[in-house]
Amino acid sequence: MSIITAVALLLAILLTPILLIRFRKRWVAAFNLAVTNRVTSRFAARLPGFGILTHVGRKSGRVYGTPVNVFRAPEGFLIALTYGRESEWVRNVLAAGAGQLETRGVQYQLSSPATVHDPTRRRFPIPVRIVLRLIGANDFMRLSISQLLR
């Protein structure tokens, strides 16, 4: 597969759900859990704007790795809550009070998670604000870095 074909496939995988998210968030979330997350998990830890958030299930105790849209902030990181505050991974991180993030090949231990409602999305870069507005995402999670792991 050529690089151009791979990039086109990646864009199609990432952009198609964006068009449906605003109206069908739960359906798209289920699709992403079953399909898209498996694909994006292979590269999300290395690409800018993406990361793998590792967290523990609050009921099962199982360790999960969830691909997220992540952005650096002065206090740590911001993660766009594209499916809202009720996503299982959000609830898991809030319950545990911590998680690990691998982004751009670096792994961080994170703490002090807090969800923030901000319809202005000012803390995100302008292109990201536009996409978040299109999909109706007004919430994000703020996490502090407690330790650089590698």
Side-chain angles (χ1 to χ4, degrees):
M1 180 183 317
S2 74
I3 292 177
I4 293 172
T5 305
V7 169
L9 178 62
L10 174 63
L11 285 173
I13 289 171
L14 294 175
L15 295 178
T16 300
I18 289 173
L19 300 174
L20 299 172
I21 288 173
R22 185 168 203 133
F23 304 105
R24 305 272 190 245
K25 283 188 179 184
R26 291 293 107 208
W27 180 85
V28 173
F31 176 80
N32 282 344
L33 184 62
V35 178
T36 311
N37 285 1
R38 293 173 195 244
V39 174
T40 58
S41 293
R42 296 176 188 212
F43 61 82
R46 295 181 301 277
L47 290 178
F50 292 94
I52 300 291
L53 183 68
T54 304
H55 52 95
V56 178
R58 55 192 191 288
K59 296 176 188 172
S60 67
R62 184 176 163 199
V63 176
Y64 295 95
T66 303
V68 293
N69 294 114
V70 62
F71 303 91
R72 195 62 198 232
E75 67 274 4
F77 290 96
L78 298 173
I79 299 175
L81 302 184
T82 53
Y83 304 117
R85 297 172 180 224
E86 297 305 313
S87 296
E88 291 299 319
W89 75 262
V90 173
R91 295 165 63 182
N92 289 343
V93 172
L94 289 171
Q100 289 184 359
L101 175 71
E102 185 174 1
T103 183
R104 294 186 176 196
V106 179
Q107 198 164 38
Y108 301 88
Q109 178 66 43
L110 303 176
S111 61
S112 306
T115 57
V116 179
H117 180 75
D118 180 14
T120 66
R121 303 162 198 90
R122 284 190 189 132
R123 298 178 188 200
F124 292 97
I126 291 173
V128 175
R129 284 185 216 169
I130 293 168
V131 172
L132 293 176
R133 185 178 332 127
L134 286 172
I135 64 173
N138 296 318
D139 298 316
F140 61 89
M141 180 178 283
R142 184 181 61 230
L143 295 125
S144 300
I145 299 171
S146 57
Q147 185 179 1
L148 179 64
L149 299 175
R150 62 174 170 102

